[in-house]
Amino acid sequence: MIGRQPVVGILGGGQLARMLVLAGSPLGVRFVVVDGSPEACAGQVAPLRVADWRDTESLSRFAAEVDVATFDFENVPAETATWLAKRVPVYPNPSALAVAQDRVSEKMAFRDIGLETPAFLPVASRVDLAFAVDAIGLPAILKTRRLGYDGKGQFRLRSPADVEPAWAALGGQASPHGLVLEAFVPFSRELSVVAVRGQGGEFRAWPLTRNWHHDGILALSLAPTDINPSLVETAIGRVRTLAERLDYVGVLALELFEADGRLLGNEMAPRVHNSGHWTIEGAVTSQFENHVRAVLGWPLGDTALRAPSLMFNWIGQLPEPRGAALALPGVHWHDYGKDPRPGRKVGHATVSASDASALAERASALASALGCQRQLNPALAAVMTAGAI
Ligand code: AMP
């Protein structure tokens, strides 16, 4: 496809699609995005086709327009992905997508490659829940097997008194997809590996990222992070094996807990990931550019670190005044063009610097310029107090 302008189709038109378009455009790649909403923010940077995932007529027209299709959203129904794959190459393949859509099959895939997971049991009824609580113990987390994201569809059980409210909150969602009860992991750190596999099996990973969540939503990501090199090697090796087993093409992310010096797999994302946004400015090639290269069968770019970076997620609304942030050195601003709404990811900023102490200084300067030390990004206070940078 090198030689003419290839067209990549993206299912889902959120900020991930938007950043894929922004990264692929300099390579001469064109994009078409499908989303159920005419307001989808990727529609500001690429042609947007508004269609439901079951609307085969619109999806046929979309398939005819593109050379290859990929996802910004992993909850596209597996049947839609399979249907589309009969008409146009789809990366990652629909069966890899299906594994990542179900928390139970995802954890089984982790165990198959020798990656530990928190203890877990599938829950399909109130009786199953009582059994699982007995077997796993408390504290634990009850989660929907499917369609949960950003901490949605989760309930923490701290004591036996929480069993009933947990069932009342999520039991209605036990059917048809079911729930899973997971042991609560008293982790010391949350980490993620973002990696990419090309069509010929070429594999590259970005430096490990440390993540902080607030209310189940990613708040901050820091790269690189000081972690035992043998753990890094293990983590990256596991992702490589997983990608090979799934015959995966494109970027994938594995979220991990570090507890007692061991790594446990939490979940995988079959797409570019929020904890890899820092790679736009902080790495030689970003996750977005490498995903586009991979799905087109092009050589992958270098994933080496260019500068230590800290990414701040803006949740609900963009902090003001943005001018104060733009005036600071090393601050890169990303506005997704979305309307404000509680809990919604509306933008991010990445702060980069030549070394860790300059990074800490710049991150503090950004936090004070935006007055967000407490209100907008409480995780930052934790990062600073822990001296993590
Ligand atoms: P998830 O959607 O499963 O990634 O969960 C969102 C966040 O909730 C994670 O990033 C953790 O901060 C927390 N969390 C989820 N599962 C567990 C667990 N089993 N033990 C401890 N914390 C968890």
Side-chain angles (χ1 to χ4, degrees), residues 82 95 144 195-196 223 279 294 322:
T82 309
S95 52
T144 53
V196 58
T279 62
R322 80 173 64 182

Side-chain angles (χ1 to χ4, degrees), residues 307-318:
S309 300
L310 180 67
M311 185 221 59
F312 294 66
N313 251 357
W314 304 133
I315 311 291
Q317 59 180 44
L318 288 170

Side-chain angles (χ1 to χ4, degrees), residues 58-387:
S58 299
L59 291 173
S60 293
R61 283 198 297 273
F62 166 77
E65 277 188 288
V66 306
D67 295 299
V68 58
T70 189
F71 308 93
D72 112 314
F73 175 65
E74 71 261 47
N75 291 320
V76 169
E79 310 81 67
T80 302
T82 309
W83 180 91
L84 200 61
K86 293 189 184 126
R87 287 154 181 87
V88 68
V90 171
Y91 298 115
N93 67 66
S95 52
L97 188 74
V99 169
Q101 283 176 343
D102 176 13
R103 290 189 187 274
V104 171
S105 51
E106 178 175 78
K107 285 190 175 58
M108 310 234 280
F110 294 168
R111 290 190 174 181
D112 277 354
I113 56 158
L115 175 65
E116 272 186 84
T117 70
F120 70 95
L121 277 174
V123 169
S125 65
R126 176 71 180 76
V127 172
D128 283 358
L129 179 58
F131 176 81
V133 167
D134 269 355
I136 286 172
L138 295 176
I141 306 190
L142 186 64
K143 300 180 180 178
T144 53
R145 278 175 68 160
R146 289 170 178 267
L147 304 176
Y149 66 98
D150 286 347
K152 294 189 178 70
Q154 300 195 6
F155 197 104
R156 283 193 189 188
L157 292 89
R158 293 179 174 85
S159 76
D162 293 331
V163 172
E164 211 49 61
W167 182 251
L170 297 180
Q173 294 169 46
S175 173
H177 301 308
L179 306 170
V180 58
L181 187 77
E182 285 178 26
F184 182 86
V185 180
F187 55 78
S188 48
R189 297 195 274 196
E190 287 194 82
L191 303 165
S192 59
V193 180
V194 181
V196 58
R197 185 166 179 269
Q199 288 180 19
E202 188 188 354
F203 178 88
R204 291 175 189 246
W206 282 268
L208 237 71
T209 303
R210 180 169 179 189
N211 302 310
W212 288 263
H213 289 78
H214 181 69
D215 287 341
I217 306 183
L218 185 69
L220 291 168
S221 289
L222 172 70
T225 180
D226 62 327
I227 167 169
N228 176 341
S230 79
L231 276 190
V232 175
E233 205 179 307
T234 308
I236 293 176
R238 297 281 189 252
V239 178
R240 183 176 198 144
T241 311
L242 185 66
E244 284 166 1
R245 293 264 178 101
L246 297 172
D247 195 19
Y248 196 95
V249 171
V251 168
L252 80 164
L254 176 66
E255 292 184 49
L256 298 159
F257 298 130
E258 184 190 9
D260 300 326
R262 293 174 308 148
L263 294 177
L264 287 85
N266 173 28
E267 63 175 352
M268 71 171 275
R271 52 168 170 76
V272 286
H273 193 251
N274 196 169
S275 70
H277 289 2
W278 68 266
T279 62
I280 298 175
E281 293 89 7
V284 176
T285 313
S286 76
Q287 62 164 349
F288 299 101
E289 180 176 336
N290 259 346
H291 186 72
V292 173
R293 290 179 183 226
V295 302
L296 287 170
W298 291 356
L300 303 180
D302 188 354
T303 50
L305 186 83
R306 199 153 55 174
S309 300
L310 180 67
M311 185 221 59
F312 294 66
N313 251 357
W314 304 133
I315 311 291
Q317 59 180 44
L318 288 170
E320 291 291 348
R322 80 173 64 182
L326 294 179
L328 296 170
V331 171
H332 308 278
W333 194 260
H334 297 259
D335 177 343
Y336 305 151
K338 288 163 129 182
D339 287 335
R341 191 196 295 157
R344 191 179 207 197
K345 292 174 177 170
V346 292
H348 75 266
T350 298
V351 185
S352 299
S354 53
D355 59 46
S357 70
L359 182 61
E361 244 167 63
R362 287 181 170 183
S364 296
L366 176 64
S368 2
L370 298 176
C372 68
Q373 189 108 15
R374 294 237 161 257
Q375 303 94 302
L376 278 164
N377 218 332
L380 183 65
V383 177
M384 294 298 183
T385 341

